[in-house]
């Protein structure tokens, strides 16, 4: 679907007379559909544009969430009536060219999702110091020098765990499942927030080792261990927060990423997956009577932090939550 084909063209008149076709209004469908770099090359929208880039991206509910927040902000401050958030399908080998083009088209901010968070890290002008140890960025903000990269996933995770499980990462043992991009961000967040110990389990030992090699400078004196999720070691701590940062659970056929019954009783289970809303891991947590929550709250809070970076305004988180929940139900 090309932007040019879905945009509403409105003839605009100035006191000097007709100024030609100008893109003034957008059909809601223009942000519900994934756009491409062809659409971007033809981009002439007035107002402030934001976007999420991914591959694939059609499933993303970020536009619903951000446009709801922007609509709410616009009722408080007319400046935001001209802001809109879109989604673009950008293959990974096109990302460097896309970042240049989005800058030329003066997009105010970008979110990055799979597979762009790590690739973008080496194609931006500046990096927020908090994102450095993660080696990945999910939020870019346009500056006169180019893109400045942030990672708001860690903030999203810790805020979500506090909100849904009423638990702080600080002074709490954490059992983290996974060693991919999301796990890396989660590990850094747990260590920076001074969890009391961090135990990381991953299916593939090689990937676990690669993560464990990078973490000691962030860990400092915090105990850090790796283990095989099929063979949980005897020394695991009780009352830990278990965080699932694996993709196991996205499909009905996926096995549990870990058997919670083989762990000392955790104090809570947070699964970063939000679609399906209840994974096998969350179902097991509930059957064991453990506080448990899915990743929707993380998605909302990482998005709220990104919007705060771009707008400098207090973000209506409730509007984002409502829109995200509705968008997910529509898709179910
Ligand atoms: P990734 O870089 O591809 O890493 C995938 C991880 O999942 C690896 O550790 C992989 O283990 C493990 N894994 C995959 N399939 C598995 C299976 N069947 N059984 C056990 N382990 C399996 O992906 P990512 O970017 O880290 O994302 C991981 C998950 O977090 C995804 O579900 C994503 O949707 C979610 N996420 C949610 C949010 C949010 O805002 N809620 C934000 C970011 C990510 P191996 O090393 O053995 O392959």
């Amino acid at each position: 679907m090309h932007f040019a084909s879905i945009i509403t063209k409105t003839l605009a008149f100035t006191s000097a007379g007709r100024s030609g076709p100008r893109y003034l209004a957008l059909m809601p469908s223009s942000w519900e559909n994934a756009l491409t770099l062809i659409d971007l090359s033809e981009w002439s929208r007035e107002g402030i544009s934001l976007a999420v880039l991914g591959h694939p991206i059609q499933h993303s509910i970020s536009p619903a969430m951000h446009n709801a927040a922007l609509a709410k902000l616009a009722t408080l401050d007319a400046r935001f009536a001209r802001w809109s958030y879109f989604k673009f399908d950008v293959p990974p080998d096109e990302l460097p060219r896309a970042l240049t083009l989005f800058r030329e088209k003066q997009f105010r901010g970008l979110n990055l999702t799979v597979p762009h968070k790590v690739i973008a890290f080496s194609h931006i002008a500046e990096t927020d110091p908090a994102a450095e140890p993660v080696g990945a960025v999910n939020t870019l903000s346009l500056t006169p020098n180019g893109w400045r990269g942030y990672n708001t996933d860690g903030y999203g995770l810790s805020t979500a765990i506090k909100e849904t499980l009423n638990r702080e990462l600080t002074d709490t043992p954490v059992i983290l499942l996974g060693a991919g991009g999301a796990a890396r961000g989660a590990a850094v967040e747990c260590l920076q927030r001074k969890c009391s110990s961090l135990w990381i389990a991953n299916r593939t030992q090689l990937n676990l080792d690669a993560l464990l090699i990078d973490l000691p400078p962030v860990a400092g004196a915090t105990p850090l261990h790796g283990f095989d999720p099929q063979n949980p070691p005897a020394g695991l701590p009780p009352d830990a927060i278990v965080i699932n940062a694996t993709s196991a659970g996205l499909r009905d056929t996926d096995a549990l990423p870990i058997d919670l019954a083989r762990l000392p009783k955790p104090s809570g289970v947070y699964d970063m997956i939000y679609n399906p809303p209840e994974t096998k891991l969350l179902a097991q947590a509930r059957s064991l009577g453990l506080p448990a929550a899915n990743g929707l709250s993380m998605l909302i809070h990482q998005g709220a932090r990104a919007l705060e970076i771009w707008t400098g305004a207090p973000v209506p988180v409730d509007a984002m939550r409502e829109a995200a929940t509705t968008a997910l139900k529509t898709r179910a």
Side-chain angles (χ1 to χ4, degrees):
M1 173 87 54
H2 287 179
F3 180 70
S5 65
I6 52 178
I7 201 163
T8 302
K9 293 180 184 176
T10 308
L11 288 179
F13 293 86
T14 67
S15 54
R18 191 176 147 171
S19 64
R22 298 167 74 186
Y23 301 113
L24 295 181
L26 290 164
M27 304 293 285
S29 62
S30 63
W31 51 260
E32 281 170 5
N33 290 305
L35 305 176
T36 69
L37 290 186
I38 298 170
D39 300 311
L40 182 61
S41 62
E42 295 164 0
W43 196 263
S44 58
R45 176 179 180 268
E46 294 186 349
I48 306 292
S49 299
L50 305 165
V52 58
L53 281 49
H55 185 71
I57 196 66
Q58 186 54 44
H59 67 281
S60 175
I61 60 170
S62 290
M65 199 167 80
H66 282 276
N67 285 319
L70 290 168
K72 176 78 181 170
L73 280 174
T75 63
L76 308 169
D77 183 336
R79 273 183 311 143
F80 295 113
R82 292 164 55 81
W83 290 54
S84 280
Y85 187 108
F86 303 86
K87 59 184 164 193
F88 280 82
D89 195 311
V90 178
D93 55 342
E94 297 269 33
L95 185 68
R97 181 169 82 87
L99 292 180
T100 305
L101 204 47
F102 278 106
R103 185 183 172 193
E104 282 170 14
K105 299 292 183 181
Q106 289 290 295
F107 275 60
R108 181 70 56 93
L110 300 175
N111 277 141
L112 303 169
T113 186
V114 176
H116 297 315
K117 295 183 190 183
V118 174
I119 310 169
F121 196 75
S122 48
H123 293 281
I124 53 179
E126 300 166 10
T127 309
D128 178 52
E132 289 283 355
V134 187
V137 285
N138 74 331
T139 300
L140 305 183
S141 184
L142 190 62
T143 76
N145 300 332
W147 294 113
R148 180 174 171 82
Y150 300 80
N151 196 316
T152 69
D153 281 339
Y155 167 86
L157 176 66
S158 51
T159 307
I161 286 175
K162 172 73 185 153
E163 180 183 87
T164 57
L165 302 178
N166 196 22
R167 300 283 295 166
E168 300 280 357
L169 293 172
T170 307
D171 293 330
T172 302
V174 175
I175 297 174
L176 174 63
L177 312 176
R184 185 170 286 264
V188 169
E189 181 69 14
C190 293
L191 293 169
Q192 285 180 335
R193 291 203 177 254
K194 303 271 177 249
C195 61
S196 56
S197 62
L198 179 59
W199 300 73
I200 309 180
N202 193 52
R203 177 181 64 175
T204 306
Q205 178 76 40
L206 205 63
N207 296 339
L208 175 61
D209 291 344
L211 176 57
L212 288 171
I213 283 172
D214 290 343
L215 289 176
V218 194
T222 305
L224 176 64
H225 310 271
F227 69 95
D228 173 0
Q230 299 296 327
N231 292 297
L236 285 172
D239 297 325
I241 297 174
V242 176
I243 300 172
N244 180 34
T246 76
S247 317
L250 284 175
R251 288 172 302 248
D252 286 351
T253 49
D254 288 341
L256 279 170
I258 204 161
D259 181 357
L260 295 169
R262 295 181 65 193
L263 307 179
K265 190 176 179 192
S267 59
V269 178
Y270 192 84
D271 196 329
M272 286 195 194
I273 294 174
Y274 52 84
N275 195 12
E278 182 157 285
T279 58
K280 278 184 192 154
L281 185 74
L282 290 181
Q284 189 190 26
R286 288 189 211 285
S287 75
L288 292 170
L290 303 173
N294 73 25
L296 187 59
S297 44
M298 176 179 172
L299 180 82
I300 291 161
H301 287 292
Q302 64 75 31
R305 178 79 190 104
L307 196 56
E308 191 178 82
I309 289 169
W310 299 322
T311 60
V315 169
V317 178
D318 286 345
M320 298 181 90
R321 184 179 293 108
E322 196 181 321
T325 307
T326 305
L328 275 181
K329 277 193 191 133
T330 314
R331 253 148 246 230

